[in-house]
C-alpha cells in the first residue's frame, strides 16, 4: 500500500541525480507517478554538451507531472578532464541548496566525483552501485577501483539492482546498508511490427560491441549451425563498435547477417525488438543488464550467458534460456533447439514470459520498493539526529 498523506503530513522531498548513461534506469513515468504520491522530486539530469544519449525533449511528458521538477546540468568537458571537478562542485552546491529529506545519487564514482561521496550528508544520501566490484571489463579499471574504494567506503546507504552484485558489494563494503531494487522495464515506444520473412527466426544482438559482450561467440555459433544444414534463421547485430573489422572477419556467411554498426537511435529500438524472435547476450561477464529489460518490455525471450547476474533475471523456459559462454557448442545446441521447437512452443514461451514480467516488474510494486527505501532512510536519519 502507498502511504496516505494528510494536511499535517506534507510531502517529503528527494533530490535525484542521474547521468545520461543511467537515465534509462530511472526513466519510467509510471514509477514516478507512484513515487510522486509520497514525495516531491527534483531530478537533476547530467548531460554532456555533445552526443548526449537523451535530449530535453525526451522528458516532455515527465515534466507535466505534479511534484516533479527536472533540471538539466550540462558539461562541456570529457569525463577525464580535471575541469569536471568544478562541474561536480556546482552539482554539490545545487544538492545542498535543495536541503532535501533524501538525496538519491545514481552515478559511477570517478576521481572527480569522489568529493560528493565525502561531502554529502551520508545519513540522508542513497548512493547507487550497479556493480559489487570492479572487473577488467571496466574502462580504466585501475583508476575506477581506487574511485570505488574511496567513494563507497563513505556510503552509509547503497541501492543496487542485482542480488548477486549486492552480495559482492556487501563483502567489500560491510559498513553500508544495502538495498536491492530490480531495474524497471525499459520502453522506447510502442511495438512496431514490420512485415518480414515469417520463415526466418531472428536472433538479435543489441548494444555497444566490445570484448565483454563476446559477440564473436554468436557469430561462430551461427556459422557453425549453418554448416550443419540449418538456414531458417538470421542474425541481427546492432550497435556501435570501434573495431568492427575484427568481428566482420569472423563472418563466413554474410547472407546470414544483418548488421547496423553505429549508435542506434532510441526511435529505432522498438522495431528491432518487436521483430526479433530471441535476444542473445553471450557476455563474458555481467553484473546486470539494462538491455535485457528492453527485451522483457517487448516480450522478447532471452538467450543469455549462465552468470549470476543473468540468473537473477532469467528463468529457464519462462522468459528465456541460459548457456555456457565458454563453449560455443552449448550455444549452438540451444540455438538449434530453438530452431527445431520454435513453432511448437514459442507462443507458450511468450505467454509465460508476459505473465512473469507483469508480476515481477509491476510499476506499482517497484515504486513501493523505492518508497519503502526512502522512508527507511529518512526514519534512520531522524533517529540518529
Amino acid at each position: 500500500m502507498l502511504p496516505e498523506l494528510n494536511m499535517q503530513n506534507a510531502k517529503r522531498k528527494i533530490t535525484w541525480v542521474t547521468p545520461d548513461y543511467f537515465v534509462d534506469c530511472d526513466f519510467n513515468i509510471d514509477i514516478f507517478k507512484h513515487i510522486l504520491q509520497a514525495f516531491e522530486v527534483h531530478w537533476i539530469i547530467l548531460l554532456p554538451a555533445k552526443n548526449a544519449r537523451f535530449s530535453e525533449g525526451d522528458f516532455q511528458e515527465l515534466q507535466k507531472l505534479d511534484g516533479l521538477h527536472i533540471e538539466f546540468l550540462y558539461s562541456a568537458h570529457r569525463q577525464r578532464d580535471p575541469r569536471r571537478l568544478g562541474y561536480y562542485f556546482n552539482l554539490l552546491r545545487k544538492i545542498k541548496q535543495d536541503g532535501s529529506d533524501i538525496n538519491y545519487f545514481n552515478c559511477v564514482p570517478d576521481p572527480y566525483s569522489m568529493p560528493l561521496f565525502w561531502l554529502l550528508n551520508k545519513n540522508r544520501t542513497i548512493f547507487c552501485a550497479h556493480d559489487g566490484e570492479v572487473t577488467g571489463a571496466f574502462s580504466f579499471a585501475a583508476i575506477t577501483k581506487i574511485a570505488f574504494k574511496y567513494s563507497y567506503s563513505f556510503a552509509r546507504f547503497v541501492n543496487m539492482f542485482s542480488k548477486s552484485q549486492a552480495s559482492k558489494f556487501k563483502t567489500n563494503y560491510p559498513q553500508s546498508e544495502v538495498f536491492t531494487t530490480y531495474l524497471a522495464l525499459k520502453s522506447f515506444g510502442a511495438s512496431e511490427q514490420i512485415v518480414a520473412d515469417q520463415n526466418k527466426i531472428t536472433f538479435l544482438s543489441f548494444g555497444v560491441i566490445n570484448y565483454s559482450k563476446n559477440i564473436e561467440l554468436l557469430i561462430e555459433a551461427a556459422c557453425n549451425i549453418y554448416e550443419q544444414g540449418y538456414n531458417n534463421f538470421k542474425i541481427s547485430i546492432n550497435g556501435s563498435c570501434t573495431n568492427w573489422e575484427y568481428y566482420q572477419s569472423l563472418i563466413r556467411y554474410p547472407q546470414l547477417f544483418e548488421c547496423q554498426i553505429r549508435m542506434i537511435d532510441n526511435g529505432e529500438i522498438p522495431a528491432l525488438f518487436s521483430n526479433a524472435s530471441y535476444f542473445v547476450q553471450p557476455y563474458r561477464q555481467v553484473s546486470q543488464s539494462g538491455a535485457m529489460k528492453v527485451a522483457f518490455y517487448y516480450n522478447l525471450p532471452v538467450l543469455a550467458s549462465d552468470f549470476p547476474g543473468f540468473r537473477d533475471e532469467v528463468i529457464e523456459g519462462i522468459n528465456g534460456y541460459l548457456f555456457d559462454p565458454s563453449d560455443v557448442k552449448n550455444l549452438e545446441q540451444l540455438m538449434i533447439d530453438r530452431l527445431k521447437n520454435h513453432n511448437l512452443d514459442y507462443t507458450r514461451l511468450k505467454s509465460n514470459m508476459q505473465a512473469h514480467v507483469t508480476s515481477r516488474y509491476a510499476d506499482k510494486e517497484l515504486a513501493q520498493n523505492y518508497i519503502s527505501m526512502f522512508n527507511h532512510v529518512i526514519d534512520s536519519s531522524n533517529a540518529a539526529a
Side-chain angles (χ1 to χ4, degrees), residues 106-162:
N106 188 6
C107 298
V108 175
D110 64 50
Y112 304 120
S113 68
M114 283 194 297
L116 277 79
F117 287 79
W118 309 336
L119 299 174
L120 287 172
N121 184 338
K122 68 178 183 179
N123 293 321
R124 292 189 177 273
T125 303
I126 301 169
F127 294 99
C128 290
H130 293 250
D131 298 271
E133 61 186 8
V134 177
T135 68
F138 279 72
S139 299
F140 309 102
I143 295 174
T144 304
K145 190 171 185 177
I146 294 171
F148 264 52
K149 179 179 179 181
Y150 291 104
S151 297
Y152 288 125
S153 293
F154 291 85
R156 178 180 175 187
F157 300 108
V158 173
N159 186 39
M160 302 195 71
F161 306 95
S162 160

Side-chain angles (χ1 to χ4, degrees), residues 108-298:
V108 175
D110 64 50
Y112 304 120
S113 68
M114 283 194 297
L116 277 79
F117 287 79
W118 309 336
L119 299 174
L120 287 172
N121 184 338
K122 68 178 183 179
N123 293 321
R124 292 189 177 273
T125 303
I126 301 169
F127 294 99
C128 290
H130 293 250
D131 298 271
E133 61 186 8
V134 177
T135 68
F138 279 72
S139 299
F140 309 102
I143 295 174
T144 304
K145 190 171 185 177
I146 294 171
F148 264 52
K149 179 179 179 181
Y150 291 104
S151 297
Y152 288 125
S153 293
F154 291 85
R156 178 180 175 187
F157 300 108
V158 173
N159 186 39
M160 302 195 71
F161 306 95
S162 160
K163 291 180 180 179
S164 58
Q165 290 301 311
S167 178
K168 291 180 180 180
F169 186 95
K170 190 63 178 176
T171 298
N172 292 323
Y173 306 98
Q175 86 289 343
S176 297
E177 183 173 352
V178 181
F179 306 92
T180 305
T181 305
Y182 285 117
L183 288 174
L185 303 187
K186 298 186 181 184
S187 168
F188 289 88
S191 298
E192 295 183 19
Q193 295 292 336
I194 298 173
V195 177
D197 186 349
Q198 299 299 315
N199 295 319
K200 295 286 186 181
I201 294 167
T202 301
F203 296 98
L204 172 68
S205 170
F206 169 80
V208 176
I209 300 167
N210 55 35
Y211 176 79
S212 67
K213 300 295 181 66
N214 201 19
I215 300 302
E216 57 265 47
L217 187 75
L218 174 59
I219 294 173
E220 183 180 359
C223 292
N224 288 350
I225 64 176
Y226 180 77
E227 290 174 349
Q228 297 173 45
Y230 296 94
N231 58 11
N232 59 326
F233 70 97
K234 64 181 178 181
I235 307 296
S236 177
I237 299 177
N238 307 268
S240 59
C241 182
T242 59
N243 62 329
W244 176 247
E245 295 81 7
Y246 163 70
Y247 298 96
Q248 191 170 39
S249 70
L250 303 176
I251 296 176
R252 304 196 296 273
Y253 306 101
Q255 66 271 26
L256 292 176
F257 294 83
E258 294 180 351
C259 303
Q260 298 188 85
I261 310 306
R262 56 179 173 80
M263 182 175 288
I264 305 300
D265 185 79
N266 288 346
E268 300 175 87
I269 293 174
L272 284 178
F273 282 81
S274 300
N275 293 283
S277 310
Y278 300 93
F279 183 45
V280 188
Q281 296 183 280
Y283 294 4
R284 285 187 168 91
Q285 52 193 0
V286 69
S287 51
Q288 65 273 318
S289 169
M292 180 176 283
K293 295 305 177 64
V294 181
F296 287 177
Y297 179 85
Y298 292 102

Side-chain angles (χ1 to χ4, degrees), residues 13-15 42 95-103 124:
K13 184 176 179 181
I14 303 168
T15 299
H42 176 201
I95 296 172
K96 290 200 168 187
Q97 282 179 344
D98 271 356
S100 293
D101 298 280
I102 287 288
N103 304 314
R124 292 189 177 273

Side-chain angles (χ1 to χ4, degrees), residues 25-42:
C25 298
D26 295 338
F27 192 158
N28 186 296
I29 190 169
D30 293 313
I31 287 179
F32 266 117
K33 284 178 179 177
H34 289 295
I35 291 175
L36 291 171
Q37 293 181 42
F39 295 91
E40 292 184 0
V41 177
H42 176 201

